[in-house]
Amino acid sequence: MRGRVRRPRGRATGSVPPITAILFIGDVVGRAGRRALRELLPGLREELAPDFVVANGENAAGGIGITPKEADELLRAGVDAITLGNHTYRHREIWSYLEQERRIVRPANYLPNQPGRGTTIVERDGVTLGIVNLSGAVHLQAGSPPLVAIDGALKEVARADQILVDMHAEVTSEKVALGWYLDGKVTAVVGTHTHIPTADARVLPGGTAYITDVGMTGARGGVIGMKREQSIAVMRTHMPMRYEPSDEDPWINAVLIRASKPRRADEIRQILRSSPAPSA
Ligand SMILES: [Fe+2]
Ligand SMILES: [Fe+2]
């Protein structure tokens, strides 16, 4: 199975090498993020012809966590697999869903007692994509160091043609180090969690596509997706306040990774698009 990649859809094969295209969508935040994904994905499918679409859904429910309702909505919208992060267990309803639904993963370096799996494999037209979710250990509660846990996680997806790793981490150094550690072993290492896209997307010398943070799919008019008035008030008063997701100026932040060889990327490209305003 390893080594099989399919020909691009609707294109003459000729001398064009077979390509697998993976669209990875950064943290989907609240209703505005889900709507942006729903509205922009059909056009991105036309334009970019991704074979696989993977989205980080850790902020899909009201900006914090995810429930089966939002997970089903993302899957119905055409997402092949969902990755998560530090807000995974915020809503109790998702706990059993994580055990039952194979298309959603939480960080592989969480404790064994925590519900869900850290890796999965999805398949399309005979090509398989292994997905690994990891959590950074700095400023986040991870069960074990991601650069150690990744070895075991990679064994679980060893049969996949392509491998995508979502490194959900706060600090840039952990993400950069993981990228270097995995260079030449996986197709892509994509960072999530900070909600701000970084300008360092590139293919490392060994062939692994890398970006420190993909950014978020949500309201740019807020503070990392939440209403800016509330964030400003909390920072000015040091008093707790309820945070709600913003609806203002939604964008999709994503990357497209193209690979013509097993577990080696040819290209990583940032896809940053604003979503049209809702009609009413
Ligand atoms: Fe997030
Ligand atoms: Fe996060």
Side-chain angles (χ1 to χ4, degrees), residues 229-243:
E229 305 78 19
Q230 296 171 343
S231 291
I232 291 168
V234 168
M235 290 177 198
R236 281 179 52 81
T237 64
H238 291 187
M239 292 304 288
M241 190 177 290
R242 191 180 154 79
Y243 281 106

Side-chain angles (χ1 to χ4, degrees), residues 50-198:
D51 299 280
F52 297 100
V53 178
V54 180
N56 185 295
E58 72 140 9
N59 306 101
I64 303 178
I66 189 167
T67 75
K69 175 175 159 282
E70 291 83 24
D72 287 339
E73 182 183 334
L74 294 179
L75 294 169
R76 266 200 313 275
V79 170
D80 296 298
I82 300 167
T83 56
L84 295 168
N86 52 302
H87 295 307
T88 295
Y89 301 113
R90 176 71 176 225
H91 302 285
R92 192 173 268 271
E93 309 93 284
I94 202 71
W95 297 3
S96 59
Y97 186 95
L98 293 175
E99 299 285 351
Q100 292 148 18
E101 173 56 72
R102 296 203 68 84
R103 292 173 293 173
I104 186 166
V105 289
R106 50 76 161 161
N109 55 331
Y110 277 2
L111 294 172
N113 67 287
Q114 293 180 280
R117 71 201 87 236
T119 65
T120 194
I121 296 178
V122 291
E123 186 270 341
R124 183 169 304 275
D125 299 335
V127 179
T128 49
L129 172 68
I131 297 153
V132 180
N133 196 188
L134 283 177
S135 168
V138 181
H139 304 317
L140 292 174
Q141 194 174 51
S144 61
L147 273 82
V148 177
I150 185 65
D151 293 350
L154 285 185
K155 287 187 187 133
E156 294 178 10
V157 293
R159 69 176 177 85
D161 299 312
Q162 305 292 348
I163 297 174
L164 172 87
V165 178
D166 171 0
M167 172 60 157
H168 195 82
E170 185 82 42
V171 297
T172 51
S173 56
E174 270 193 306
K175 300 182 186 181
V176 173
L178 184 77
W180 283 119
Y181 180 61
L182 294 181
D183 185 24
K185 299 185 183 125
V186 302
T187 315
V189 175
V190 294
T192 57
H193 174 70
T194 73
H195 292 199
I196 303 297
T198 54

